[in-house]
Structures are given as C-alpha cells and as structure tokens.
Amino acid sequence: MRFQHSPAIWNDFPALVPAALYAEGITPEVSVADRVPAYAARAAARLATASESDLPEIQAWRRAFSRMGLKPTQYRCASESLLRRFRKEGALPSLHPLVDLCNAISIAYAVPIAVFDVSRIARHLEVRHATGDETYLTFSGETEHPAPGEVIFADAEGRAHARRWTNRQSGLSAVRDSTSNVLIVAEALHATAPADMDSLVTTLTTELNALWPVTPKSAVLTAAEPAFDFAGD
C-alpha cells in the first residue's frame, strides 16, 4: 500500500511538509491518561499568549484554505478545530486511546494529524483533487460527493477518506475498537515545518513504542520523494 500527494498538490503548495507513520497491532485497552496532560499543557501555554488563529502553523493552513477557495472561518483545519475546542472547554473528548494521543499531540504542535484504519482503505491513499465521482461517508452514515477540484484523501476505489484536505475525516476509515493497523498522517505548511515534523514523528514513534508492542514505520515526505510505501497490498 502507498500514501502520497499528487504532483498538483506539490505544485500548488511547495511549502508542504507531510509525515506518515504506519503501525500494526494497535489495541484499545491501553490508557493514555498519564501521557495526554503534558501535550495539553504545551497547548495551553501557547494559547495563554495567543489565539489559535494567531499561531503560525494555523495561519499557514488558513492561507492554504483561502487558496482553495474556502472561507477559513467556516472551514478550519483539524488542528485549529481541536485547539478552538480545547481553549473553550479545557479538554478534548476521549474517543480511542490512539485518537486521544494523536489529538493531544496535534494541539501541542498545532498541526493536523489524521489517523486511518488501514483495513478500510483500498490499495492506496492519495491526497489529490476530486473528480466529482468520489463518495464520502459521514460519521452519521450519509453519503456525500466532493465537488470537482476539492482536495481529498482518495483510495483506489474512489472513496474519499477526508474532505477539504485537513478539514474533515470520513467515518468509513475512522479508528474503532476493532482497528489494528493504522496510517497516521500529519501535514504542515509553516516556516519551521521541516524541523517540527521531524520532532513530531519522533514524538509519535516514542509514544507508540511505549504504549503498544509495535514497531512503527515512518517517513517525512518531499516533492522529490513523495511516496510512503507502508504495507503489502
């Protein structure tokens, strides 16, 4: 299986720094209660001096959304939405230990992180512009069709696993208790993204090693080396 961004995405967003991590053997019974607070504290410290919309990581995504023809205050990247909720409520809801961990790391780095159940992805996953024929399953079970040109995460069967790039994931490949093999994708566009994404991958790898008996495979991708081959078909 392969994860990649299309050449058109790289052409439109040359500052993009994506990181991908694959792990097998994830289970739901572990606890992340003693690990989340440190990341929450890091996010809280940043929000104490600036709104989430003022953070350079979020500003870069807002510019990207504007370039895609989206109103940034109507459609937010996932990390901005999480930070906004965290600022208002002081905590994030608990969903699944891996999702909770990734959400905490996401607000600490102010970078969107998506987690996909690999068993629900057909052969490959590519961030590309929609043709208009793809299907997207909402968390409430409704089927949508992304408009032509919208940036989506699409698999080989034309199923969209995320809409408006980093705005909203699909319910189809969401992590659940039965999930075992996962693809984690983090993407950044801000000036210090190369160093920050290296740090984020190290952080994720360390946490996964500590919580599950897994050996993650990871890569920080570039336009010259845009593909992450992470599992057999």
Side-chain angles (χ1 to χ4, degrees):
M1 298 183 76
R2 172 174 289 190
F3 170 74
Q4 64 185 18
H5 293 72
S6 72
I9 297 298
W10 284 107
N11 183 67
D12 290 347
F13 301 94
L16 174 65
V17 183
L21 186 149
Y22 174 69
E24 299 180 349
I26 299 299
T27 54
E29 74 277 0
V30 307
S31 173
V32 296
D34 62 340
R35 313 188 86 84
V36 165
Y39 299 112
R42 179 172 163 181
R46 298 193 73 185
L47 292 174
T49 59
S51 168
E52 64 275 3
S53 61
D54 295 325
L55 300 178
E57 299 90 338
I58 302 303
Q59 288 181 342
W61 275 110
R62 284 193 165 207
R63 290 191 295 270
F65 275 44
S66 293
R67 179 166 183 174
M68 292 188 291
L70 301 172
K71 187 177 180 180
T73 55
Q74 180 179 4
Y75 299 107
R76 295 178 168 87
C77 74
S79 53
E80 180 177 0
S81 295
L82 287 173
L83 282 163
R84 193 165 182 257
R85 182 166 188 172
F86 177 72
R87 174 174 53 80
K88 291 181 175 180
E89 301 179 9
L92 296 176
S94 180
L95 302 170
H96 179 283
L98 178 59
V99 176
D100 297 349
L101 175 66
C102 287
N103 283 348
I105 294 173
S106 177
I107 63 172
Y109 282 84
V111 168
I113 300 176
V115 189
F116 302 97
D117 184 331
V118 169
S119 70
R120 304 300 182 100
I121 296 171
R123 298 193 298 281
H124 67 247
L125 192 63
E126 182 178 34
V127 182
R128 61 167 173 81
H129 293 97
T131 63
D133 297 325
E134 297 86 1
T135 58
Y136 171 88
L137 184 69
T138 70
F139 277 85
S140 61
E142 299 174 347
T143 298
E144 299 175 350
H145 297 279
E150 180 182 321
V151 178
I152 60 171
F153 281 64
D155 69 14
E157 294 182 358
R159 297 180 299 191
H161 293 270
R163 290 199 60 185
R164 304 179 191 91
W165 202 347
T166 55
N167 170 243
R168 187 159 58 108
Q169 282 189 239
S170 167
L172 178 64
S173 52
V175 171
R176 60 209 78 201
D177 285 351
S178 60
T179 298
S180 177
N181 301 346
V182 297
L183 174 68
I184 303 173
V185 177
E187 297 161 292
L189 293 159
H190 59 288
T192 60
D196 292 343
M197 295 304 271
D198 282 341
S199 173
L200 187 151
V201 168
T202 298
T203 296
L204 271 172
T205 300
T206 300
E207 292 288 6
L208 289 172
N209 283 331
L211 291 164
W212 289 277
V214 302
T215 304
K217 179 180 181 181
S218 64
V220 176
L221 307 176
T222 65
E225 297 184 5
F228 177 56
D229 293 309
F230 60 90
D233 290 336

PDB file of all heavy atoms in Angstrom, residues 8-9 12-13 67-70 128-134 145-152 163-165:
ATOM      1  N   ALA A   8       0.062  17.728  -8.499  1.00  0.00           N
ATOM      2  CA  ALA A   8      -0.643  19.011  -8.490  1.00  0.00           C
ATOM      3  C   ALA A   8      -0.665  19.632  -7.104  1.00  0.00           C
ATOM      4  O   ALA A   8      -0.560  20.857  -6.960  1.00  0.00           O
ATOM      5  CB  ALA A   8      -2.073  18.826  -9.010  1.00  0.00           C
ATOM      6  N   ILE A   9      -0.777  18.806  -6.074  1.00  0.00           N
ATOM      7  CA  ILE A   9      -0.757  19.336  -4.700  1.00  0.00           C
ATOM      8  C   ILE A   9       0.619  19.905  -4.384  1.00  0.00           C
ATOM      9  O   ILE A   9       0.750  20.997  -3.817  1.00  0.00           O
ATOM     10  CB  ILE A   9      -1.143  18.240  -3.687  1.00  0.00           C
ATOM     11  CG1 ILE A   9      -2.579  17.763  -3.934  1.00  0.00           C
ATOM     12  CG2 ILE A   9      -0.984  18.753  -2.260  1.00  0.00           C
ATOM     13  CD1 ILE A   9      -3.639  18.819  -3.766  1.00  0.00           C
ATOM     14  N   ASP A  12       1.016  23.232  -6.174  1.00  0.00           N
ATOM     15  CA  ASP A  12       0.232  24.332  -5.598  1.00  0.00           C
ATOM     16  C   ASP A  12       0.722  24.733  -4.208  1.00  0.00           C
ATOM     17  O   ASP A  12       0.572  25.889  -3.813  1.00  0.00           O
ATOM     18  CB  ASP A  12      -1.249  23.946  -5.512  1.00  0.00           C
ATOM     19  CG  ASP A  12      -1.916  23.869  -6.873  1.00  0.00           C
ATOM     20  OD1 ASP A  12      -1.322  24.354  -7.863  1.00  0.00           O
ATOM     21  OD2 ASP A  12      -3.026  23.319  -6.949  1.00  0.00           O
ATOM     22  N   PHE A  13       1.300  23.766  -3.479  1.00  0.00           N
ATOM     23  CA  PHE A  13       1.712  24.028  -2.096  1.00  0.00           C
ATOM     24  C   PHE A  13       3.148  23.535  -1.870  1.00  0.00           C
ATOM     25  O   PHE A  13       3.377  22.533  -1.177  1.00  0.00           O
ATOM     26  CB  PHE A  13       0.739  23.347  -1.125  1.00  0.00           C
ATOM     27  CG  PHE A  13      -0.685  23.804  -1.286  1.00  0.00           C
ATOM     28  CD1 PHE A  13      -1.566  23.088  -2.093  1.00  0.00           C
ATOM     29  CD2 PHE A  13      -1.139  24.963  -0.667  1.00  0.00           C
ATOM     30  CE1 PHE A  13      -2.878  23.513  -2.263  1.00  0.00           C
ATOM     31  CE2 PHE A  13      -2.447  25.394  -0.831  1.00  0.00           C
ATOM     32  CZ  PHE A  13      -3.321  24.667  -1.634  1.00  0.00           C
ATOM     33  N   ARG A  67      -6.593  29.771  -0.487  1.00  0.00           N
ATOM     34  CA  ARG A  67      -6.152  29.476  -1.845  1.00  0.00           C
ATOM     35  C   ARG A  67      -7.051  28.428  -2.497  1.00  0.00           C
ATOM     36  O   ARG A  67      -7.255  28.439  -3.715  1.00  0.00           O
ATOM     37  CB  ARG A  67      -4.701  28.998  -1.838  1.00  0.00           C
ATOM     38  CG  ARG A  67      -4.198  28.642  -3.223  1.00  0.00           C
ATOM     39  CD  ARG A  67      -2.701  28.495  -3.282  1.00  0.00           C
ATOM     40  NE  ARG A  67      -2.272  28.235  -4.647  1.00  0.00           N
ATOM     41  CZ  ARG A  67      -1.001  28.176  -5.032  1.00  0.00           C
ATOM     42  NH1 ARG A  67      -0.034  28.378  -4.149  1.00  0.00           N
ATOM     43  NH2 ARG A  67      -0.695  27.924  -6.289  1.00  0.00           N
ATOM     44  N   MET A  68      -7.606  27.528  -1.690  1.00  0.00           N
ATOM     45  CA  MET A  68      -8.506  26.505  -2.221  1.00  0.00           C
ATOM     46  C   MET A  68      -9.921  27.037  -2.424  1.00  0.00           C
ATOM     47  O   MET A  68     -10.818  26.286  -2.811  1.00  0.00           O
ATOM     48  CB  MET A  68      -8.537  25.288  -1.285  1.00  0.00           C
ATOM     49  CG  MET A  68      -7.235  24.511  -1.253  1.00  0.00           C
ATOM     50  SD  MET A  68      -7.348  22.948  -0.320  1.00  0.00           S
ATOM     51  CE  MET A  68      -7.556  23.542   1.367  1.00  0.00           C
ATOM     52  N   GLY A  69     -10.127  28.322  -2.134  1.00  0.00           N
ATOM     53  CA  GLY A  69     -11.440  28.913  -2.316  1.00  0.00           C
ATOM     54  C   GLY A  69     -12.374  28.700  -1.147  1.00  0.00           C
ATOM     55  O   GLY A  69     -13.595  28.877  -1.277  1.00  0.00           O
ATOM     56  N   LEU A  70     -11.821  28.344   0.021  1.00  0.00           N
ATOM     57  CA  LEU A  70     -12.623  28.101   1.210  1.00  0.00           C
ATOM     58  C   LEU A  70     -12.482  29.260   2.194  1.00  0.00           C
ATOM     59  O   LEU A  70     -11.394  29.815   2.349  1.00  0.00           O
ATOM     60  CB  LEU A  70     -12.179  26.805   1.894  1.00  0.00           C
ATOM     61  CG  LEU A  70     -12.256  25.530   1.047  1.00  0.00           C
ATOM     62  CD1 LEU A  70     -11.606  24.372   1.789  1.00  0.00           C
ATOM     63  CD2 LEU A  70     -13.704  25.195   0.706  1.00  0.00           C
ATOM     64  N   ARG A 128      -5.331  14.378  -3.340  1.00  0.00           N
ATOM     65  CA  ARG A 128      -5.447  14.877  -4.716  1.00  0.00           C
ATOM     66  C   ARG A 128      -6.732  15.672  -4.876  1.00  0.00           C
ATOM     67  O   ARG A 128      -7.554  15.747  -3.958  1.00  0.00           O
ATOM     68  CB  ARG A 128      -5.435  13.711  -5.703  1.00  0.00           C
ATOM     69  CG  ARG A 128      -6.595  12.719  -5.530  1.00  0.00           C
ATOM     70  CD  ARG A 128      -6.679  11.791  -6.722  1.00  0.00           C
ATOM     71  NE  ARG A 128      -7.648  10.713  -6.587  1.00  0.00           N
ATOM     72  CZ  ARG A 128      -8.957  10.829  -6.789  1.00  0.00           C
ATOM     73  NH1 ARG A 128      -9.492  12.023  -7.105  1.00  0.00           N
ATOM     74  NH2 ARG A 128      -9.769   9.778  -6.675  1.00  0.00           N
ATOM     75  N   HIS A 129      -6.890  16.255  -6.052  1.00  0.00           N
ATOM     76  CA  HIS A 129      -8.125  16.961  -6.353  1.00  0.00           C
ATOM     77  C   HIS A 129      -9.206  15.963  -6.769  1.00  0.00           C
ATOM     78  O   HIS A 129      -8.940  15.027  -7.521  1.00  0.00           O
ATOM     79  CB  HIS A 129      -7.894  17.985  -7.469  1.00  0.00           C
ATOM     80  CG  HIS A 129      -6.994  19.105  -7.074  1.00  0.00           C
ATOM     81  ND1 HIS A 129      -5.644  19.114  -7.383  1.00  0.00           N
ATOM     82  CD2 HIS A 129      -7.234  20.242  -6.377  1.00  0.00           C
ATOM     83  CE1 HIS A 129      -5.100  20.219  -6.904  1.00  0.00           C
ATOM     84  NE2 HIS A 129      -6.035  20.917  -6.291  1.00  0.00           N
ATOM     85  N   ALA A 130     -10.406  16.166  -6.278  1.00  0.00           N
ATOM     86  CA  ALA A 130     -11.526  15.289  -6.594  1.00  0.00           C
ATOM     87  C   ALA A 130     -11.942  15.455  -8.054  1.00  0.00           C
ATOM     88  O   ALA A 130     -11.823  16.544  -8.633  1.00  0.00           O
ATOM     89  CB  ALA A 130     -12.704  15.591  -5.678  1.00  0.00           C
ATOM     90  N   THR A 131     -12.458  14.391  -8.617  1.00  0.00           N
ATOM     91  CA  THR A 131     -13.023  14.447  -9.958  1.00  0.00           C
ATOM     92  C   THR A 131     -14.520  14.747  -9.911  1.00  0.00           C
ATOM     93  O   THR A 131     -15.108  15.156 -10.908  1.00  0.00           O
ATOM     94  CB  THR A 131     -12.827  13.113 -10.693  1.00  0.00           C
ATOM     95  OG1 THR A 131     -13.544  12.080  -9.994  1.00  0.00           O
ATOM     96  CG2 THR A 131     -11.354  12.745 -10.759  1.00  0.00           C
ATOM     97  N   GLY A 132     -15.134  14.514  -8.754  1.00  0.00           N
ATOM     98  CA  GLY A 132     -16.578  14.683  -8.598  1.00  0.00           C
ATOM     99  C   GLY A 132     -17.308  13.363  -8.549  1.00  0.00           C
ATOM    100  O   GLY A 132     -18.508  13.322  -8.255  1.00  0.00           O
ATOM    101  N   ASP A 133     -16.601  12.256  -8.819  1.00  0.00           N
ATOM    102  CA  ASP A 133     -17.218  10.935  -8.807  1.00  0.00           C
ATOM    103  C   ASP A 133     -17.007  10.194  -7.486  1.00  0.00           C
ATOM    104  O   ASP A 133     -17.585   9.123  -7.272  1.00  0.00           O
ATOM    105  CB  ASP A 133     -16.654  10.077  -9.944  1.00  0.00           C
ATOM    106  CG  ASP A 133     -16.964  10.655 -11.320  1.00  0.00           C
ATOM    107  OD1 ASP A 133     -18.053  11.231 -11.480  1.00  0.00           O
ATOM    108  OD2 ASP A 133     -16.102  10.537 -12.222  1.00  0.00           O
ATOM    109  N   GLU A 134     -16.177  10.731  -6.611  1.00  0.00           N
ATOM    110  CA  GLU A 134     -15.846  10.035  -5.372  1.00  0.00           C
ATOM    111  C   GLU A 134     -17.028  10.056  -4.385  1.00  0.00           C
ATOM    112  O   GLU A 134     -17.892  10.927  -4.441  1.00  0.00           O
ATOM    113  CB  GLU A 134     -14.624  10.672  -4.704  1.00  0.00           C
ATOM    114  CG  GLU A 134     -13.352  10.591  -5.521  1.00  0.00           C
ATOM    115  CD  GLU A 134     -13.192  11.717  -6.525  1.00  0.00           C
ATOM    116  OE1 GLU A 134     -14.098  12.595  -6.578  1.00  0.00           O
ATOM    117  OE2 GLU A 134     -12.179  11.728  -7.239  1.00  0.00           O
ATOM    118  N   HIS A 145     -20.721  13.620  -2.053  1.00  0.00           N
ATOM    119  CA  HIS A 145     -19.841  13.586  -3.221  1.00  0.00           C
ATOM    120  C   HIS A 145     -19.048  14.895  -3.263  1.00  0.00           C
ATOM    121  O   HIS A 145     -19.612  15.945  -3.555  1.00  0.00           O
ATOM    122  CB  HIS A 145     -20.650  13.416  -4.506  1.00  0.00           C
ATOM    123  CG  HIS A 145     -21.392  12.116  -4.577  1.00  0.00           C
ATOM    124  ND1 HIS A 145     -20.783  10.937  -4.949  1.00  0.00           N
ATOM    125  CD2 HIS A 145     -22.684  11.809  -4.287  1.00  0.00           C
ATOM    126  CE1 HIS A 145     -21.670   9.952  -4.902  1.00  0.00           C
ATOM    127  NE2 HIS A 145     -22.839  10.460  -4.509  1.00  0.00           N
ATOM    128  N   PRO A 146     -17.760  14.855  -2.938  1.00  0.00           N
ATOM    129  CA  PRO A 146     -16.943  16.068  -3.013  1.00  0.00           C
ATOM    130  C   PRO A 146     -17.007  16.683  -4.404  1.00  0.00           C
ATOM    131  O   PRO A 146     -17.036  15.971  -5.408  1.00  0.00           O
ATOM    132  CB  PRO A 146     -15.533  15.570  -2.679  1.00  0.00           C
ATOM    133  CG  PRO A 146     -15.756  14.323  -1.876  1.00  0.00           C
ATOM    134  CD  PRO A 146     -16.982  13.695  -2.455  1.00  0.00           C
ATOM    135  N   ALA A 147     -17.027  17.999  -4.444  1.00  0.00           N
ATOM    136  CA  ALA A 147     -17.103  18.701  -5.721  1.00  0.00           C
ATOM    137  C   ALA A 147     -15.801  18.546  -6.501  1.00  0.00           C
ATOM    138  O   ALA A 147     -14.720  18.394  -5.910  1.00  0.00           O
ATOM    139  CB  ALA A 147     -17.391  20.181  -5.488  1.00  0.00           C
ATOM    140  N   PRO A 148     -15.871  18.565  -7.824  1.00  0.00           N
ATOM    141  CA  PRO A 148     -14.645  18.503  -8.625  1.00  0.00           C
ATOM    142  C   PRO A 148     -13.661  19.597  -8.205  1.00  0.00           C
ATOM    143  O   PRO A 148     -14.042  20.750  -8.023  1.00  0.00           O
ATOM    144  CB  PRO A 148     -15.147  18.733 -10.055  1.00  0.00           C
ATOM    145  CG  PRO A 148     -16.553  18.258 -10.036  1.00  0.00           C
ATOM    146  CD  PRO A 148     -17.081  18.631  -8.675  1.00  0.00           C
ATOM    147  N   GLY A 149     -12.407  19.212  -8.033  1.00  0.00           N
ATOM    148  CA  GLY A 149     -11.380  20.169  -7.645  1.00  0.00           C
ATOM    149  C   GLY A 149     -11.119  20.247  -6.155  1.00  0.00           C
ATOM    150  O   GLY A 149     -10.089  20.779  -5.728  1.00  0.00           O
ATOM    151  N   GLU A 150     -12.044  19.737  -5.343  1.00  0.00           N
ATOM    152  CA  GLU A 150     -11.825  19.755  -3.893  1.00  0.00           C
ATOM    153  C   GLU A 150     -10.663  18.847  -3.542  1.00  0.00           C
ATOM    154  O   GLU A 150     -10.507  17.765  -4.116  1.00  0.00           O
ATOM    155  CB  GLU A 150     -13.089  19.288  -3.166  1.00  0.00           C
ATOM    156  CG  GLU A 150     -12.953  19.280  -1.649  1.00  0.00           C
ATOM    157  CD  GLU A 150     -14.207  18.770  -0.949  1.00  0.00           C
ATOM    158  OE1 GLU A 150     -15.329  19.095  -1.403  1.00  0.00           O
ATOM    159  OE2 GLU A 150     -14.059  18.056   0.056  1.00  0.00           O
ATOM    160  N   VAL A 151      -9.833  19.241  -2.590  1.00  0.00           N
ATOM    161  CA  VAL A 151      -8.707  18.403  -2.165  1.00  0.00           C
ATOM    162  C   VAL A 151      -9.216  17.345  -1.195  1.00  0.00           C
ATOM    163  O   VAL A 151      -9.829  17.662  -0.177  1.00  0.00           O
ATOM    164  CB  VAL A 151      -7.598  19.245  -1.519  1.00  0.00           C
ATOM    165  CG1 VAL A 151      -6.457  18.335  -1.047  1.00  0.00           C
ATOM    166  CG2 VAL A 151      -7.059  20.267  -2.511  1.00  0.00           C
ATOM    167  N   ILE A 152      -8.973  16.089  -1.527  1.00  0.00           N
ATOM    168  CA  ILE A 152      -9.455  14.970  -0.717  1.00  0.00           C
ATOM    169  C   ILE A 152      -8.345  13.937  -0.524  1.00  0.00           C
ATOM    170  O   ILE A 152      -7.328  13.955  -1.215  1.00  0.00           O
ATOM    171  CB  ILE A 152     -10.663  14.279  -1.393  1.00  0.00           C
ATOM    172  CG1 ILE A 152     -10.272  13.723  -2.769  1.00  0.00           C
ATOM    173  CG2 ILE A 152     -11.843  15.244  -1.510  1.00  0.00           C
ATOM    174  CD1 ILE A 152     -11.335  12.848  -3.421  1.00  0.00           C
ATOM    175  N   ARG A 163     -12.262  15.150   3.556  1.00  0.00           N
ATOM    176  CA  ARG A 163     -12.719  16.217   2.671  1.00  0.00           C
ATOM    177  C   ARG A 163     -12.011  17.524   3.013  1.00  0.00           C
ATOM    178  O   ARG A 163     -11.580  17.734   4.145  1.00  0.00           O
ATOM    179  CB  ARG A 163     -14.231  16.421   2.801  1.00  0.00           C
ATOM    180  CG  ARG A 163     -15.076  15.284   2.218  1.00  0.00           C
ATOM    181  CD  ARG A 163     -16.489  15.737   1.958  1.00  0.00           C
ATOM    182  NE  ARG A 163     -16.537  16.845   0.999  1.00  0.00           N
ATOM    183  CZ  ARG A 163     -17.645  17.489   0.673  1.00  0.00           C
ATOM    184  NH1 ARG A 163     -18.801  17.153   1.223  1.00  0.00           N
ATOM    185  NH2 ARG A 163     -17.603  18.480  -0.204  1.00  0.00           N
ATOM    186  N   ARG A 164     -11.950  18.393   2.000  1.00  0.00           N
ATOM    187  CA  ARG A 164     -11.330  19.714   2.160  1.00  0.00           C
ATOM    188  C   ARG A 164      -9.962  19.580   2.836  1.00  0.00           C
ATOM    189  O   ARG A 164      -9.634  20.302   3.764  1.00  0.00           O
ATOM    190  CB  ARG A 164     -12.253  20.655   2.923  1.00  0.00           C
ATOM    191  CG  ARG A 164     -13.630  20.799   2.275  1.00  0.00           C
ATOM    192  CD  ARG A 164     -14.550  21.730   3.066  1.00  0.00           C
ATOM    193  NE  ARG A 164     -15.902  21.639   2.557  1.00  0.00           N
ATOM    194  CZ  ARG A 164     -16.829  20.788   3.007  1.00  0.00           C
ATOM    195  NH1 ARG A 164     -16.534  19.960   4.006  1.00  0.00           N
ATOM    196  NH2 ARG A 164     -18.044  20.768   2.484  1.00  0.00           N
ATOM    197  N   TRP A 165      -9.208  18.631   2.340  1.00  0.00           N
ATOM    198  CA  TRP A 165      -7.853  18.326   2.779  1.00  0.00           C
ATOM    199  C   TRP A 165      -7.813  17.961   4.253  1.00  0.00           C
ATOM    200  O   TRP A 165      -8.048  16.819   4.625  1.00  0.00           O
ATOM    201  CB  TRP A 165      -6.925  19.490   2.438  1.00  0.00           C
ATOM    202  CG  TRP A 165      -5.466  19.097   2.362  1.00  0.00           C
ATOM    203  CD1 TRP A 165      -4.909  17.931   2.788  1.00  0.00           C
ATOM    204  CD2 TRP A 165      -4.397  19.864   1.824  1.00  0.00           C
ATOM    205  NE1 TRP A 165      -3.566  17.926   2.548  1.00  0.00           N
ATOM    206  CE2 TRP A 165      -3.218  19.099   1.962  1.00  0.00           C
ATOM    207  CE3 TRP A 165      -4.326  21.120   1.237  1.00  0.00           C
ATOM    208  CZ2 TRP A 165      -1.977  19.551   1.539  1.00  0.00           C
ATOM    209  CZ3 TRP A 165      -3.089  21.579   0.817  1.00  0.00           C
ATOM    210  CH2 TRP A 165      -1.921  20.808   0.965  1.00  0.00           C
TER     211      TRP A 165
END
